[in-house]
Amino acid sequence: PLMKNHARLRFCFFLTSTVGGQNSINKKYQIEDRLEYLSDSTDVNNSKKEDFTLFIDNNKSYFTSNIFLKRDSIINSLKINNNLELNFSKMPNTRFKYVIVKENNTINYYESLLKYKFNYNEESAFNWQLLNEKTKIDNFICQKAVANYGGRTWIAWYTTEIPIYDGPYKFNNLPGLIVKISDTNNNYSFNLISIRKDVIIDNTVFKENYFNQHKKITKEEYFKAVNNINENIINEMSASGFTVAPESVEKVKSNIRRRNNPIELK
């Protein structure tokens, strides 16, 4: 089981106020979550952590890995400075090279896998069961909710004290912000670590130009493509411009085998 994350919540949050007789409904937030997860279901003592950010831009939100954002910033600064010496081995690396965009009950998923860029969308259809159970997490009174999604049962704790109906990954549509959510096996657990208000969202991975590079497919086609890439990982890496030394072939295949516990099982 995952260790409990006791990181204290850093937050700077002010409720929207009435200014000059008009209700201020301009919502721009940067919400950070820490994911603790088991990549390999056969190695329960080897949990990993990674931080993610949920950017709220009024009625639209973007969710992605902080490392993925950092990689993008480094690549772009090198391009701007005409520095084409790009050493990927020295770049911060993440398995989570996706951006999730939520808007109007639609979830758009964009992912970069080697030379491929895929996009699929799905309806936000979490059939949350709202329970009366409450607990205090950091500064917030939170209420419990349960839903089944992606082959797992998820337990969420949300607070109505923050008028944001969103949360980490694809999860949303609860009566407040999700402060903590984990599956019942505790293989994946997201915990809120910070909130900032009135943040300017400026990164190329949130621009139309970036999204337009992705090939639109169905979710079913996406899962098939991922399986195909994993089964033919050495050939796919070579086709994407990565050179795999002969002595590293088994290690690469072994790494793929150890990634046997995705967040969505189906």
Side-chain angles (χ1 to χ4, degrees):
L2 299 183
M3 294 176 296
K4 285 186 180 174
N5 177 12
H6 289 297
R8 299 302 296 164
L9 177 61
R10 313 184 304 276
F11 89 113
C12 171
F13 180 80
F14 304 97
L15 290 174
T16 51
S17 57
T18 303
V19 182
Q22 286 187 322
N23 189 25
S24 173
I25 54 167
N26 185 30
K27 290 183 187 171
K28 286 185 188 285
Y29 301 99
Q30 181 175 331
I31 297 164
E32 269 194 299
D33 287 278
R34 179 157 296 150
L35 168 65
E36 194 167 352
Y37 68 102
L38 283 177
S39 178
D40 182 355
S41 60
T42 65
D43 187 2
V44 295
N45 295 316
N46 189 15
S47 66
K48 299 179 175 168
K49 292 180 184 177
E50 189 158 334
D51 290 353
F52 289 75
T53 299
L54 175 70
F55 291 96
I56 308 280
D57 189 1
N58 294 310
N59 297 319
K60 194 171 188 175
S61 72
Y62 305 87
F63 182 79
T64 194
S65 152
N66 289 2
I67 296 175
F68 189 50
L69 284 180
K70 203 177 285 180
R71 280 172 66 92
D72 181 71
S73 298
I74 292 169
I75 291 168
N76 279 295
S77 66
L78 290 172
K79 282 181 186 169
I80 290 164
N81 297 319
N82 290 323
N83 182 352
L84 301 175
E85 290 288 316
L86 190 55
N87 186 344
F88 277 97
S89 66
K90 291 182 180 174
M91 295 269 284
N93 200 17
T94 177
R95 274 182 49 203
F96 305 104
K97 298 183 177 79
Y98 61 67
V99 181
I100 295 169
V101 183
K102 289 173 263 188
E103 186 178 25
N104 298 332
N105 271 347
T106 299
I107 298 165
N108 257 298
Y109 183 92
Y110 299 87
E111 184 167 19
S112 302
L113 290 169
L114 297 176
K115 65 177 181 177
Y116 305 101
K117 282 182 163 55
F118 296 123
N119 161 233
Y120 68 82
N121 66 44
E122 61 187 307
E123 215 178 310
S124 177
F126 298 103
N127 293 315
W128 292 109
Q129 182 187 358
L130 304 185
L131 305 175
N132 291 326
E133 196 177 330
K134 291 185 178 180
T135 191
K136 192 167 187 185
I137 301 176
D138 287 298
N139 305 305
F140 303 114
I141 300 296
C142 298
Q143 198 159 328
K144 190 176 184 180
V146 178
N148 293 313
Y149 178 74
R152 298 181 188 272
T153 301
W154 294 90
I155 296 171
W157 293 94
Y158 66 94
T159 180
T160 55
E161 294 168 32
I162 301 178
I164 297 171
Y165 313 113
D166 211 329
Y169 194 58
K170 297 175 180 176
F171 302 110
N172 65 355
N173 285 352
L174 277 168
L177 180 69
I178 296 172
V179 174
K180 176 183 172 68
I181 183 166
S182 49
D183 68 290
T184 47
N185 292 325
N186 228 20
N187 286 178
Y188 283 81
S189 181
F190 290 96
N191 288 275
L192 178 67
I193 53 175
S194 72
I195 303 174
R196 286 198 294 153
K197 198 177 172 202
D198 295 328
V199 175
I200 295 167
I201 301 167
D202 183 29
N203 198 289
T204 55
V205 299
F206 302 139
K207 302 275 177 24
E208 280 305 308
N209 186 39
Y210 176 77
F211 295 133
N212 291 339
Q213 295 169 26
H214 292 70
K215 182 186 178 187
K216 197 168 181 58
I217 56 176
T218 65
K219 189 173 183 180
E220 189 181 24
E221 288 169 335
Y222 164 78
F223 278 122
K224 280 183 185 168
V226 171
N227 287 335
N228 189 50
I229 289 168
N230 288 341
E231 283 170 14
N232 301 285
I233 188 64
I234 302 302
N235 290 339
E236 290 289 357
M237 286 179 77
S238 298
S240 298
F242 295 96
T243 305
V244 182
E247 63 271 20
S248 299
V249 167
E250 275 313 307
K251 188 182 178 191
V252 170
K253 288 181 177 177
S254 170
N255 284 342
I256 289 293
R257 281 194 296 273
R258 285 203 298 269
R259 296 180 187 178
N260 54 35
N261 192 29
I263 190 167
E264 291 185 47
L265 299 168
K266 63 179 186 180

